[in-house]
Amino acid sequence: MDKSSALNYINQMFPTEASLSGVEPLMQKIHSEIRRVDAGILAAVRQQSNSGTKAKEDLAAATHAVEELMYKIREIKTKAEQSETMVQEICRDIKKLDFAKKHITTTITALHRLTMLVSAVEQLQVMASNRRYKEAAAQLEAVKQLCSHFEAYRDIPKITELREKFKNIKQILKSHVFSDFSSLGTGKETEESNLLQQLSDACLVVDALEPSVREELVKNFCNRELTSYRQIFEGAELAKLDKTERRYAWIKRRLRTNEEIWKIFPPAWNVAYLLCIQFCKLTRTQLVEILDNLKEKPDVGTLLLALQRTLEFEEELAERFGGGTRSSVAGTDIEELDRGEHSGQTISDIRKKYEKRLAANQGSGDDEKDGHKDLSVPGAGFNFRGIISSCFEPHLTVYVELEEKTLMEHMEKLVQEESWDIEEGNQTNILTSSMQLFLIIRRSLKRCSALTKNQTLFNLFKVFQRVLKAYATKLFAKLPKGGVGIVAAATGMDGQIKTSDRDERVICHIVNTAEYCHKTSGELAENVSKMIDSQLAGGVDMSEVQDEFSAVITKALITLVHGLETKFDAEMAAMARVPWGTLESVGDQSEYVNGINMILTSSIPVLGSLLSPVYFQFFLDKLAASLGPRFYLNIFKCKQISETGAQQMLLDTQAVKTILLDIPSLGRQTAGAAGYSKFVSREMSKAEALLKVILSPVDSVADTYRALLPEGTTFEFQRILELKGLKKSDQQIILDDLNKRGPGITQSSIAPSIVPAAPSTPAASAFTNTALAEVIASREDVLTRAAALGRGAATTGFKRFLALTEAAKDRKDGPFRKLFNA
């Protein structure tokens, strides 16, 4: 506690003079506490002094104990060394005796085994001389084991002598076994009943000898078995392609006949398996020679039959001996592949069945894969599938040519027999010839995939491409053509396409068929790429064929539009022949409008029911792009148009616009019609704007033309003046005034709201912001009045328009007045 704190404490304890009476008791209490603390400190100092003395005594005792322990350890170590020396002296003689015993035991064992080896070699020599194969096999194993104990004594003369003698005995056994096996298959096994048993015992000897002996024996046996095969089928009579089946019958008969005899061979030898391998290699060599030596192309039937029988034989060997996954039924007769198919199946059923069967053709190999694998084990490293049949691959060109010829003939026949019409109730609206064509292609693909999945299949795929392109050409040729030649040019029919109701249905069927062919061609390419060899899969592509069918679809739809355009020729001509300049009153819509309506109501429902929504929408877009501008240009083909005539034509224009806007609902396909309606409205609005310009007064026609048709040309404006019936002199004044004012609104700035662009001429740049705003308001007023005129054309007549314009002109401060007086 610092001084200030002590002072505060004293002031707290004695705040007043009266409290000073308690100083004495407090002092006594403090002195008492001081004495108590001093006593405690003294006791602690005494205790600490006693503890230090005791610690020194304990340390001295511990040091003494450690010294005693070190002394005892040194004493124990000395005694241990003395004990070890004593034990070594005791055991020195025992070690000598132990080594001596071990050497004596090894010597006795070696001499005993040497005795056994000498005896076994002598016995083996006797057994080999007497052809006692069963006993010799066991003795061989015993001698081998005894010889293994003397590997370290190879340099000893006696051991070398025994090993050489054992080698000679094995050579004798080998020669005896080979000699005895040479009689197998000569008929001696039926004369000598014990020959088979003797050969069976000889197999035990062969197993006891080196593995190379067994391989040599089996190889010699197979070569001897195939000697007669070489002699038979290398002769002039049977060395022919049509005798191929007899080759396989020979080996199968040989296997079946000798099945009981060949049981003498141990199963691990796989004699039949190795024999079949040698047979396949020899057969392939002979067939390659036969095919290469043919002076002319082989007969396709003979070639395919030989290939088919080869595949059947390879499949039988693969199933018997293993080697790869099971492929499709290659041995089925080619004619049987076409069985069970019905032309009335739906496209989805055909496609599913097609994919299911083609998926089973995977997994067959065509190359020999001998490598370094053990061919003695069935299925370990040899694949029978393709070992013989692959030699036919380079010679299957004739087969591909025949397939192409057959497919082309079928395609021509299908096109000739095609009715180009679809029965009622058919949901696909696809021509029967296309489905039949793909069914034929599918059968051809199935036949080829059962024979090969290499280059020939790829060549056949190219054939499919050519056939489908030819079919696309046939569809293209079926489309109606326009008039050509001198007569067509003289009559004005050059390029025009006339289509009847049946022609329109046929065109729709062609569109649907081309779409089906486009889709199915891609699926065909996908399936072929899955089954063909992986190295060739990259070249499987149907994009060119699909482009052909896409071109057919586009041409067909454009032809459909041109056909309808041709139907409208008479109505457009009727429109131009109407005396628009002499009409006295505005009545109902004109007859040519009714004609347009009849044409569309008779064609559109049929087209909507036959075409898919995508292609119907494409057709609508093309039709709108054609009819709208054509109607607009046809107005210029008319002669003079009076106010009443323009009013009537405006009513007709609105009727035509309504008819065109109703086409999607007429075709019962309203999906995606918003864009079409907007396009029709924009195109027909141009015709309405043109008629409103014709309806405008002469003194404001230029401004109205600039406001409603800002993209118009001077030539069009001059033609409008001619339609209004103005004289040349009056026309020139208005044209000069139009050219003097300039365009006012550039083409690039045209928008539905008619927003003007920045001034582009010196005259236009002189406008102030206020004047420019007044011009904009004036043009908007013109557009508003013109739109009101169009809406009221059918009910109010031309007088309403005159009243509106006169009332606007009478306004002294209105922007419309300024526009008229400009």
PDB file of all heavy atoms in Angstrom, residues 574-601:
ATOM      1  N   ALA A 574     -56.800 -10.425-112.782  1.00  0.00           N
ATOM      2  CA  ALA A 574     -58.152  -9.889-112.627  1.00  0.00           C
ATOM      3  C   ALA A 574     -58.139  -8.587-111.837  1.00  0.00           C
ATOM      4  O   ALA A 574     -58.898  -7.661-112.111  1.00  0.00           O
ATOM      5  CB  ALA A 574     -59.032 -10.933-111.934  1.00  0.00           C
ATOM      6  N   MET A 575     -57.270  -8.537-110.843  1.00  0.00           N
ATOM      7  CA  MET A 575     -57.145  -7.301-110.054  1.00  0.00           C
ATOM      8  C   MET A 575     -56.673  -6.141-110.937  1.00  0.00           C
ATOM      9  O   MET A 575     -57.167  -5.008-110.823  1.00  0.00           O
ATOM     10  CB  MET A 575     -56.162  -7.534-108.908  1.00  0.00           C
ATOM     11  CG  MET A 575     -55.828  -6.294-108.111  1.00  0.00           C
ATOM     12  SD  MET A 575     -54.585  -6.660-106.842  1.00  0.00           S
ATOM     13  CE  MET A 575     -54.242  -5.000-106.240  1.00  0.00           C
ATOM     14  N   ALA A 576     -55.712  -6.416-111.804  1.00  0.00           N
ATOM     15  CA  ALA A 576     -55.195  -5.352-112.676  1.00  0.00           C
ATOM     16  C   ALA A 576     -56.221  -4.915-113.721  1.00  0.00           C
ATOM     17  O   ALA A 576     -56.188  -3.767-114.192  1.00  0.00           O
ATOM     18  CB  ALA A 576     -53.912  -5.820-113.357  1.00  0.00           C
ATOM     19  N   ARG A 577     -57.153  -5.834-114.088  1.00  0.00           N
ATOM     20  CA  ARG A 577     -58.160  -5.500-115.112  1.00  0.00           C
ATOM     21  C   ARG A 577     -59.347  -4.721-114.551  1.00  0.00           C
ATOM     22  O   ARG A 577     -60.164  -4.199-115.306  1.00  0.00           O
ATOM     23  CB  ARG A 577     -58.645  -6.772-115.782  1.00  0.00           C
ATOM     24  CG  ARG A 577     -57.612  -7.434-116.682  1.00  0.00           C
ATOM     25  CD  ARG A 577     -58.263  -8.475-117.581  1.00  0.00           C
ATOM     26  NE  ARG A 577     -58.924  -9.510-116.808  1.00  0.00           N
ATOM     27  CZ  ARG A 577     -58.336 -10.652-116.442  1.00  0.00           C
ATOM     28  NH1 ARG A 577     -57.072 -10.873-116.803  1.00  0.00           N
ATOM     29  NH2 ARG A 577     -58.991 -11.549-115.745  1.00  0.00           N
ATOM     30  N   VAL A 578     -59.496  -4.669-113.263  1.00  0.00           N
ATOM     31  CA  VAL A 578     -60.637  -3.948-112.681  1.00  0.00           C
ATOM     32  C   VAL A 578     -60.525  -2.461-113.038  1.00  0.00           C
ATOM     33  O   VAL A 578     -59.445  -1.866-112.881  1.00  0.00           O
ATOM     34  CB  VAL A 578     -60.668  -4.144-111.150  1.00  0.00           C
ATOM     35  CG1 VAL A 578     -61.746  -3.269-110.527  1.00  0.00           C
ATOM     36  CG2 VAL A 578     -60.913  -5.602-110.807  1.00  0.00           C
ATOM     37  N   PRO A 579     -61.589  -1.827-113.509  1.00  0.00           N
ATOM     38  CA  PRO A 579     -61.540  -0.383-113.846  1.00  0.00           C
ATOM     39  C   PRO A 579     -61.553   0.471-112.584  1.00  0.00           C
ATOM     40  O   PRO A 579     -62.584   1.064-112.234  1.00  0.00           O
ATOM     41  CB  PRO A 579     -62.792  -0.194-114.707  1.00  0.00           C
ATOM     42  CG  PRO A 579     -63.748  -1.240-114.220  1.00  0.00           C
ATOM     43  CD  PRO A 579     -62.915  -2.416-113.847  1.00  0.00           C
ATOM     44  N   TRP A 580     -60.428   0.530-111.905  1.00  0.00           N
ATOM     45  CA  TRP A 580     -60.361   1.273-110.647  1.00  0.00           C
ATOM     46  C   TRP A 580     -60.589   2.770-110.840  1.00  0.00           C
ATOM     47  O   TRP A 580     -61.025   3.459-109.896  1.00  0.00           O
ATOM     48  CB  TRP A 580     -58.989   1.057-109.993  1.00  0.00           C
ATOM     49  CG  TRP A 580     -58.681  -0.384-109.701  1.00  0.00           C
ATOM     50  CD1 TRP A 580     -57.822  -1.187-110.362  1.00  0.00           C
ATOM     51  CD2 TRP A 580     -59.259  -1.178-108.661  1.00  0.00           C
ATOM     52  NE1 TRP A 580     -57.809  -2.458-109.814  1.00  0.00           N
ATOM     53  CE2 TRP A 580     -58.689  -2.471-108.744  1.00  0.00           C
ATOM     54  CE3 TRP A 580     -60.213  -0.939-107.674  1.00  0.00           C
ATOM     55  CZ2 TRP A 580     -59.037  -3.511-107.896  1.00  0.00           C
ATOM     56  CZ3 TRP A 580     -60.571  -1.958-106.806  1.00  0.00           C
ATOM     57  CH2 TRP A 580     -59.974  -3.243-106.913  1.00  0.00           C
ATOM     58  N   GLY A 581     -60.354   3.244-112.013  1.00  0.00           N
ATOM     59  CA  GLY A 581     -60.523   4.692-112.224  1.00  0.00           C
ATOM     60  C   GLY A 581     -61.952   5.111-112.449  1.00  0.00           C
ATOM     61  O   GLY A 581     -62.266   6.311-112.416  1.00  0.00           O
ATOM     62  N   THR A 582     -62.835   4.153-112.712  1.00  0.00           N
ATOM     63  CA  THR A 582     -64.232   4.501-113.025  1.00  0.00           C
ATOM     64  C   THR A 582     -65.210   3.965-112.010  1.00  0.00           C
ATOM     65  O   THR A 582     -66.413   4.006-112.250  1.00  0.00           O
ATOM     66  CB  THR A 582     -64.591   3.957-114.414  1.00  0.00           C
ATOM     67  OG1 THR A 582     -64.416   2.532-114.418  1.00  0.00           O
ATOM     68  CG2 THR A 582     -63.695   4.587-115.481  1.00  0.00           C
ATOM     69  N   LEU A 583     -64.728   3.403-110.892  1.00  0.00           N
ATOM     70  CA  LEU A 583     -65.658   2.901-109.880  1.00  0.00           C
ATOM     71  C   LEU A 583     -66.460   4.051-109.299  1.00  0.00           C
ATOM     72  O   LEU A 583     -65.933   5.132-109.024  1.00  0.00           O
ATOM     73  CB  LEU A 583     -64.895   2.169-108.772  1.00  0.00           C
ATOM     74  CG  LEU A 583     -64.319   0.797-109.121  1.00  0.00           C
ATOM     75  CD1 LEU A 583     -63.605   0.209-107.898  1.00  0.00           C
ATOM     76  CD2 LEU A 583     -65.407  -0.161-109.590  1.00  0.00           C
ATOM     77  N   GLU A 584     -67.744   3.793-109.117  1.00  0.00           N
ATOM     78  CA  GLU A 584     -68.616   4.853-108.624  1.00  0.00           C
ATOM     79  C   GLU A 584     -68.854   4.759-107.130  1.00  0.00           C
ATOM     80  O   GLU A 584     -69.160   5.773-106.491  1.00  0.00           O
ATOM     81  CB  GLU A 584     -69.966   4.799-109.371  1.00  0.00           C
ATOM     82  CG  GLU A 584     -69.818   5.038-110.875  1.00  0.00           C
ATOM     83  CD  GLU A 584     -71.156   4.951-111.590  1.00  0.00           C
ATOM     84  OE1 GLU A 584     -72.156   4.626-110.896  1.00  0.00           O
ATOM     85  OE2 GLU A 584     -71.215   5.208-112.803  1.00  0.00           O
ATOM     86  N   SER A 585     -68.730   3.566-106.557  1.00  0.00           N
ATOM     87  CA  SER A 585     -69.004   3.410-105.123  1.00  0.00           C
ATOM     88  C   SER A 585     -68.163   2.264-104.568  1.00  0.00           C
ATOM     89  O   SER A 585     -67.688   1.410-105.313  1.00  0.00           O
ATOM     90  CB  SER A 585     -70.499   3.129-104.876  1.00  0.00           C
ATOM     91  OG  SER A 585     -70.875   1.898-105.493  1.00  0.00           O
ATOM     92  N   VAL A 586     -68.062   2.302-103.265  1.00  0.00           N
ATOM     93  CA  VAL A 586     -67.329   1.251-102.564  1.00  0.00           C
ATOM     94  C   VAL A 586     -68.317   0.187-102.121  1.00  0.00           C
ATOM     95  O   VAL A 586     -69.314   0.493-101.446  1.00  0.00           O
ATOM     96  CB  VAL A 586     -66.580   1.818-101.341  1.00  0.00           C
ATOM     97  CG1 VAL A 586     -65.884   0.696-100.585  1.00  0.00           C
ATOM     98  CG2 VAL A 586     -65.600   2.886-101.774  1.00  0.00           C
ATOM     99  N   GLY A 587     -68.071  -1.054-102.506  1.00  0.00           N
ATOM    100  CA  GLY A 587     -68.970  -2.142-102.137  1.00  0.00           C
ATOM    101  C   GLY A 587     -68.258  -3.222-101.336  1.00  0.00           C
ATOM    102  O   GLY A 587     -67.311  -2.948-100.581  1.00  0.00           O
ATOM    103  N   ASP A 588     -68.730  -4.461-101.490  1.00  0.00           N
ATOM    104  CA  ASP A 588     -68.070  -5.586-100.819  1.00  0.00           C
ATOM    105  C   ASP A 588     -66.722  -5.859-101.481  1.00  0.00           C
ATOM    106  O   ASP A 588     -66.362  -5.253-102.488  1.00  0.00           O
ATOM    107  CB  ASP A 588     -68.956  -6.830-100.883  1.00  0.00           C
ATOM    108  CG  ASP A 588     -70.237  -6.645-100.083  1.00  0.00           C
ATOM    109  OD1 ASP A 588     -70.209  -5.822 -99.129  1.00  0.00           O
ATOM    110  OD2 ASP A 588     -71.241  -7.281-100.411  1.00  0.00           O
ATOM    111  N   GLN A 589     -65.992  -6.799-100.904  1.00  0.00           N
ATOM    112  CA  GLN A 589     -64.685  -7.143-101.458  1.00  0.00           C
ATOM    113  C   GLN A 589     -64.837  -7.680-102.870  1.00  0.00           C
ATOM    114  O   GLN A 589     -65.826  -8.310-103.227  1.00  0.00           O
ATOM    115  CB  GLN A 589     -63.990  -8.174-100.575  1.00  0.00           C
ATOM    116  CG  GLN A 589     -64.736  -9.483-100.436  1.00  0.00           C
ATOM    117  CD  GLN A 589     -64.089 -10.381 -99.382  1.00  0.00           C
ATOM    118  OE1 GLN A 589     -63.507  -9.910 -98.434  1.00  0.00           O
ATOM    119  NE2 GLN A 589     -64.228 -11.695 -99.569  1.00  0.00           N
ATOM    120  N   SER A 590     -63.814  -7.460-103.646  1.00  0.00           N
ATOM    121  CA  SER A 590     -63.867  -7.791-105.061  1.00  0.00           C
ATOM    122  C   SER A 590     -63.804  -9.287-105.295  1.00  0.00           C
ATOM    123  O   SER A 590     -63.466 -10.082-104.406  1.00  0.00           O
ATOM    124  CB  SER A 590     -62.702  -7.099-105.780  1.00  0.00           C
ATOM    125  OG  SER A 590     -62.747  -5.702-105.567  1.00  0.00           O
ATOM    126  N   GLU A 591     -64.095  -9.669-106.547  1.00  0.00           N
ATOM    127  CA  GLU A 591     -64.124 -11.091-106.893  1.00  0.00           C
ATOM    128  C   GLU A 591     -62.742 -11.717-106.819  1.00  0.00           C
ATOM    129  O   GLU A 591     -62.591 -12.882-106.464  1.00  0.00           O
ATOM    130  CB  GLU A 591     -64.699 -11.270-108.311  1.00  0.00           C
ATOM    131  CG  GLU A 591     -66.209 -11.079-108.412  1.00  0.00           C
ATOM    132  CD  GLU A 591     -66.972 -12.090-107.559  1.00  0.00           C
ATOM    133  OE1 GLU A 591     -66.535 -13.260-107.461  1.00  0.00           O
ATOM    134  OE2 GLU A 591     -67.992 -11.698-106.965  1.00  0.00           O
ATOM    135  N   TYR A 592     -61.705 -10.976-107.183  1.00  0.00           N
ATOM    136  CA  TYR A 592     -60.365 -11.574-107.141  1.00  0.00           C
ATOM    137  C   TYR A 592     -59.963 -11.914-105.703  1.00  0.00           C
ATOM    138  O   TYR A 592     -59.209 -12.858-105.462  1.00  0.00           O
ATOM    139  CB  TYR A 592     -59.343 -10.643-107.791  1.00  0.00           C
ATOM    140  CG  TYR A 592     -58.976  -9.424-106.988  1.00  0.00           C
ATOM    141  CD1 TYR A 592     -57.935  -9.450-106.061  1.00  0.00           C
ATOM    142  CD2 TYR A 592     -59.680  -8.234-107.151  1.00  0.00           C
ATOM    143  CE1 TYR A 592     -57.594  -8.323-105.323  1.00  0.00           C
ATOM    144  CE2 TYR A 592     -59.353  -7.108-106.416  1.00  0.00           C
ATOM    145  CZ  TYR A 592     -58.309  -7.152-105.512  1.00  0.00           C
ATOM    146  OH  TYR A 592     -57.982  -6.041-104.784  1.00  0.00           O
ATOM    147  N   VAL A 593     -60.490 -11.163-104.738  1.00  0.00           N
ATOM    148  CA  VAL A 593     -60.247 -11.498-103.337  1.00  0.00           C
ATOM    149  C   VAL A 593     -60.939 -12.815-102.985  1.00  0.00           C
ATOM    150  O   VAL A 593     -60.368 -13.671-102.290  1.00  0.00           O
ATOM    151  CB  VAL A 593     -60.723 -10.366-102.411  1.00  0.00           C
ATOM    152  CG1 VAL A 593     -60.508 -10.745-100.946  1.00  0.00           C
ATOM    153  CG2 VAL A 593     -59.999  -9.078-102.742  1.00  0.00           C
ATOM    154  N   ASN A 594     -62.152 -12.969-103.475  1.00  0.00           N
ATOM    155  CA  ASN A 594     -62.853 -14.243-103.243  1.00  0.00           C
ATOM    156  C   ASN A 594     -62.100 -15.401-103.889  1.00  0.00           C
ATOM    157  O   ASN A 594     -62.038 -16.515-103.345  1.00  0.00           O
ATOM    158  CB  ASN A 594     -64.280 -14.165-103.801  1.00  0.00           C
ATOM    159  CG  ASN A 594     -65.127 -13.136-103.075  1.00  0.00           C
ATOM    160  OD1 ASN A 594     -64.914 -12.884-101.881  1.00  0.00           O
ATOM    161  ND2 ASN A 594     -66.088 -12.530-103.776  1.00  0.00           N
ATOM    162  N   GLY A 595     -61.519 -15.107-105.077  1.00  0.00           N
ATOM    163  CA  GLY A 595     -60.732 -16.157-105.730  1.00  0.00           C
ATOM    164  C   GLY A 595     -59.512 -16.550-104.916  1.00  0.00           C
ATOM    165  O   GLY A 595     -59.180 -17.740-104.791  1.00  0.00           O
ATOM    166  N   ILE A 596     -58.816 -15.534-104.364  1.00  0.00           N
ATOM    167  CA  ILE A 596     -57.656 -15.833-103.505  1.00  0.00           C
ATOM    168  C   ILE A 596     -58.086 -16.646-102.301  1.00  0.00           C
ATOM    169  O   ILE A 596     -57.416 -17.615-101.906  1.00  0.00           O
ATOM    170  CB  ILE A 596     -56.991 -14.514-103.073  1.00  0.00           C
ATOM    171  CG1 ILE A 596     -56.340 -13.825-104.281  1.00  0.00           C
ATOM    172  CG2 ILE A 596     -55.940 -14.763-101.987  1.00  0.00           C
ATOM    173  CD1 ILE A 596     -55.781 -12.458-103.967  1.00  0.00           C
ATOM    174  N   ASN A 597     -59.213 -16.277-101.736  1.00  0.00           N
ATOM    175  CA  ASN A 597     -59.725 -17.011-100.561  1.00  0.00           C
ATOM    176  C   ASN A 597     -60.060 -18.444-100.909  1.00  0.00           C
ATOM    177  O   ASN A 597     -59.751 -19.380-100.144  1.00  0.00           O
ATOM    178  CB  ASN A 597     -60.953 -16.277-100.017  1.00  0.00           C
ATOM    179  CG  ASN A 597     -61.393 -16.848 -98.678  1.00  0.00           C
ATOM    180  OD1 ASN A 597     -60.574 -17.358 -97.918  1.00  0.00           O
ATOM    181  ND2 ASN A 597     -62.677 -16.783 -98.395  1.00  0.00           N
ATOM    182  N   MET A 598     -60.671 -18.664-102.081  1.00  0.00           N
ATOM    183  CA  MET A 598     -61.023 -20.026-102.489  1.00  0.00           C
ATOM    184  C   MET A 598     -59.767 -20.868-102.716  1.00  0.00           C
ATOM    185  O   MET A 598     -59.726 -22.051-102.343  1.00  0.00           O
ATOM    186  CB  MET A 598     -61.865 -19.981-103.773  1.00  0.00           C
ATOM    187  CG  MET A 598     -63.273 -19.440-103.573  1.00  0.00           C
ATOM    188  SD  MET A 598     -64.235 -19.443-105.102  1.00  0.00           S
ATOM    189  CE  MET A 598     -64.237 -21.172-105.483  1.00  0.00           C
ATOM    190  N   ILE A 599     -58.751 -20.265-103.314  1.00  0.00           N
ATOM    191  CA  ILE A 599     -57.510 -21.011-103.559  1.00  0.00           C
ATOM    192  C   ILE A 599     -56.884 -21.455-102.241  1.00  0.00           C
ATOM    193  O   ILE A 599     -56.482 -22.613-102.067  1.00  0.00           O
ATOM    194  CB  ILE A 599     -56.521 -20.144-104.361  1.00  0.00           C
ATOM    195  CG1 ILE A 599     -57.051 -19.904-105.777  1.00  0.00           C
ATOM    196  CG2 ILE A 599     -55.150 -20.819-104.420  1.00  0.00           C
ATOM    197  CD1 ILE A 599     -56.225 -18.914-106.573  1.00  0.00           C
ATOM    198  N   LEU A 600     -56.825 -20.549-101.279  1.00  0.00           N
ATOM    199  CA  LEU A 600     -56.192 -20.872-100.004  1.00  0.00           C
ATOM    200  C   LEU A 600     -57.032 -21.849 -99.185  1.00  0.00           C
ATOM    201  O   LEU A 600     -56.503 -22.767 -98.564  1.00  0.00           O
ATOM    202  CB  LEU A 600     -55.952 -19.591 -99.208  1.00  0.00           C
ATOM    203  CG  LEU A 600     -54.914 -18.636 -99.799  1.00  0.00           C
ATOM    204  CD1 LEU A 600     -54.829 -17.363 -98.987  1.00  0.00           C
ATOM    205  CD2 LEU A 600     -53.540 -19.298 -99.870  1.00  0.00           C
ATOM    206  N   THR A 601     -58.345 -21.677 -99.186  1.00  0.00           N
ATOM    207  CA  THR A 601     -59.196 -22.587 -98.399  1.00  0.00           C
ATOM    208  C   THR A 601     -59.224 -23.988 -98.970  1.00  0.00           C
ATOM    209  O   THR A 601     -59.501 -24.952 -98.240  1.00  0.00           O
ATOM    210  CB  THR A 601     -60.630 -22.033 -98.331  1.00  0.00           C
ATOM    211  OG1 THR A 601     -61.108 -21.757 -99.664  1.00  0.00           O
ATOM    212  CG2 THR A 601     -60.685 -20.762 -97.497  1.00  0.00           C
TER     213      THR A 601
END
